């Protein structure tokens, strides 16, 4: 029996707008992935705990608040501390192009900016996130 890719979609920090995250979560689900949506106002600690408990293959973060560098960095640090860097971290939101190289250097696999189609996100996840065999 093959398992489906498991993706945690999370809204870290104080963002109060989650429509985009919900649209992405639904697109991933409709593409056959198992999606765990954490809801609004999640701490990096809560997100990482959920990802580990749910045996996630990836975490998608949606950040609109401008705190993307701090939030992504903390999620990655916590994944390191929990020996869980096999979990692919990607994200999107209102993130300046100038900050994307720094996020990639931290270990963020991909940043999607406004205007990205859900189909391109689905295709990227399919091509870049794999679940362990066995």
């Amino acid at each position: 029996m093959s398992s489906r890719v498991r993706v945690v979609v999370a809204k870290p920090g104080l963002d109060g707008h989650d429509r985009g995250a919900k649209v992405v979560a639904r697109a991933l689900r409709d593409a056959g992935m198992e999606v765990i949506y954490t809801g609004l106002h999640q701490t990096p600690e809560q997100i990482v705990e959920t990802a580990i408990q749910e045996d996630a293959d990836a975490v998608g973060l949606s950040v609109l608040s401008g705190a993307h560098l701090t939030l992504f960095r903390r999620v990655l640090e916590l994944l390191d501390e929990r020996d869980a860097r096999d979990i692919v971290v990607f994200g999107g939101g209102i993130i300046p192009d100038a900050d994307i190289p720094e996020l990639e250097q931290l270990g963020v696999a991909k940043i999607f900016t406004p205007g990205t189609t859900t189909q391109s996100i689905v295709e990227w996840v399919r091509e870049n996130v794999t679940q362990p065999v066995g």
Side-chain angles (χ1 to χ4, degrees):
M1 185 168 102
S2 69
S3 59
R4 298 188 300 171
V5 170
R6 294 174 61 89
V7 181
V8 169
V9 175
K11 288 289 300 179
L14 300 176
D15 285 351
H17 177 78
D18 65 349
R19 181 176 178 138
K22 287 179 177 177
V23 167
V24 170
R26 181 171 294 119
L28 295 172
R29 183 202 65 204
D30 289 350
M33 297 175 211
E34 189 168 347
V35 178
I36 300 96
Y37 175 63
T38 64
L40 291 167
H41 311 301
Q42 299 295 296
T43 66
E45 290 79 7
Q46 290 169 314
I47 293 164
V48 168
E49 188 62 31
T50 299
I52 290 169
Q53 285 183 2
E54 294 289 343
D55 196 25
D57 303 301
V59 172
L61 301 176
S62 172
V63 182
L64 304 175
S65 67
H68 47 275
L69 291 171
T70 301
L71 293 167
F72 276 95
R73 180 180 287 112
R74 185 65 181 141
V75 166
L76 291 163
E77 288 170 353
L78 291 166
L79 288 171
D80 277 339
E81 290 172 14
R82 300 286 299 271
D83 195 29
R85 277 309 297 274
D86 58 318
I87 298 173
V88 175
V89 176
F90 67 96
I94 307 299
I95 298 173
D97 290 342
D99 290 345
I100 294 173
E102 184 173 350
L103 290 166
E104 291 171 343
Q105 188 174 21
L106 289 172
V108 177
K110 180 73 174 172
I111 293 293
F112 297 98
T113 55
T116 302
T117 65
T118 55
Q119 185 59 38
S120 64
I121 296 169
V122 166
E123 289 171 3
W124 184 89
V125 172
R126 281 187 176 143
E127 293 170 7
N128 294 279
V129 178
T130 58
Q131 64 270 49
V133 177

